[in-house]
């Protein structure tokens, strides 16, 4: 039902209405939305889990021969690309994820996204760098995702430049702290 509801998000948003209309189109009574008591948050949760599961498949065979930074960039852009079909409604999703009752779910997904990107890039650190890398990428990812909601350039070229500037900022900060 939630998979079908995603097709209705562009029209009805991250709402119980999308879930109800999906159920109805599948021959279920619209009251079935009661299976998803958090409404839009449940739909967002499903979408984010689906994206996390799809990321390794999307990157399969595309990271060979790339350096770590290039892998992180590709993983980040690939994951951001998954919200592109919903970009006009993504501010609504961000607002729902920012509600106090949904913050834990939102932060949990952000942690999983950045961990998966680092894992797919081959990160095997087991020290404080593990936390530093993920915290840095979480900040970069979340600000870039927010920026993307305002980007009207073809293929989100401005978002790609924004992301590159954030990576440059992180590298500069890293060099400054090592001096």
């Amino acid at each position: 039902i939630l998979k079908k509801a995603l097709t209705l998000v562009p029209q009805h948003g991250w709402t119980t209405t999308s879930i109800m209309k999906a159920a109805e189109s599948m021959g279920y009574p619209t009251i079935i939305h009661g299976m998803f008591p958090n409404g839009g948050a449940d739909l967002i949760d499903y979408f984010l889990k689906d994206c996390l599961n799809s990321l390794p498949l999307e990157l399969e065979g595309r990271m060979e021969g790339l350096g770590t930074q290039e892998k992180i960039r590709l993983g980040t852009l690939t994951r951001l690309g998954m919200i592109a079909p919903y970009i006009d409604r993504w501010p609504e999703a961000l607002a729902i994820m920012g509600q106090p009752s949904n913050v834990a779910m939102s932060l949990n997904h952000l942690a999983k996204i950045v961990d998966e990107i680092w894992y797919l890039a081959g990160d095997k650190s087991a020290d404080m760098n593990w936390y530093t890398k993920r915290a840095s990428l979480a900040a970069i990812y979340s600000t870039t995702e927010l920026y993307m909601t305002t980007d009207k350039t073809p293929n989100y070229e401005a978002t790609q430049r924004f992301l590159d500037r954030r990576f440059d900022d992180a590298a500069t900060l890293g060099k400054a702290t090592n001096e």
Side-chain angles (χ1 to χ4, degrees):
I1 293 172
L2 295 177
K3 184 176 183 175
K4 176 66 176 174
L6 287 176
T7 66
L8 301 171
V9 166
Q11 183 179 6
H12 300 287
W14 300 93
T15 63
T16 301
T17 302
S18 290
I19 297 169
M20 288 171 41
K21 294 211 177 269
E24 186 176 49
S25 75
M26 298 172 73
Y28 297 111
T30 57
I31 194 68
I32 206 162
H33 73 80
M35 289 177 51
F36 311 102
N38 298 316
D42 286 333
L43 185 54
I44 294 164
D45 184 50
Y46 171 80
F47 172 71
L48 294 173
K49 286 176 182 173
D50 187 52
C51 289
L52 187 66
N53 292 332
S54 299
L55 189 60
L57 301 173
E58 291 287 326
L59 292 171
E60 192 172 327
R62 295 176 56 201
M63 289 192 163
E64 283 80 23
L66 298 179
T68 302
Q69 287 181 325
E70 294 166 313
K71 289 177 182 178
I72 296 300
R73 182 181 187 275
L74 177 61
T76 303
L77 286 173
T78 301
R79 177 56 187 79
L80 287 167
M82 293 177 182
I83 65 171
Y86 307 101
I87 199 64
D88 291 337
R89 293 291 192 155
W90 200 244
E92 179 184 335
L94 292 174
I96 292 169
M97 288 188 287
Q99 293 174 354
S101 60
N102 300 325
V103 169
M105 177 262 295
S106 177
L107 292 175
N108 184 39
H109 280 295
L110 179 60
K112 287 179 180 180
I113 289 166
V114 298
D115 185 51
E116 185 70 5
I117 292 170
W118 271 109
Y119 174 79
L120 293 171
D123 181 51
K124 306 229 184 319
S125 60
D127 55 7
M128 285 304 292
N129 284 331
W130 188 94
Y131 296 99
T132 305
K133 290 175 181 179
R134 280 149 182 83
S136 297
L137 185 56
I140 291 168
Y141 181 88
S142 58
T143 57
T144 306
E145 181 181 59
L146 187 58
Y147 182 88
M148 187 176 173
T149 63
T150 65
D151 185 0
K152 302 299 179 198
T153 60
N155 298 315
Y156 300 101
E157 293 165 1
T159 297
Q160 293 177 43
R161 290 190 302 272
F162 180 90
L163 177 64
D164 291 339
R165 289 191 304 273
R166 297 302 69 80
F167 282 136
D168 289 345
D169 292 345
T172 301
L173 181 62
K175 287 176 190 171
T177 58
N178 289 332
E179 292 177 356

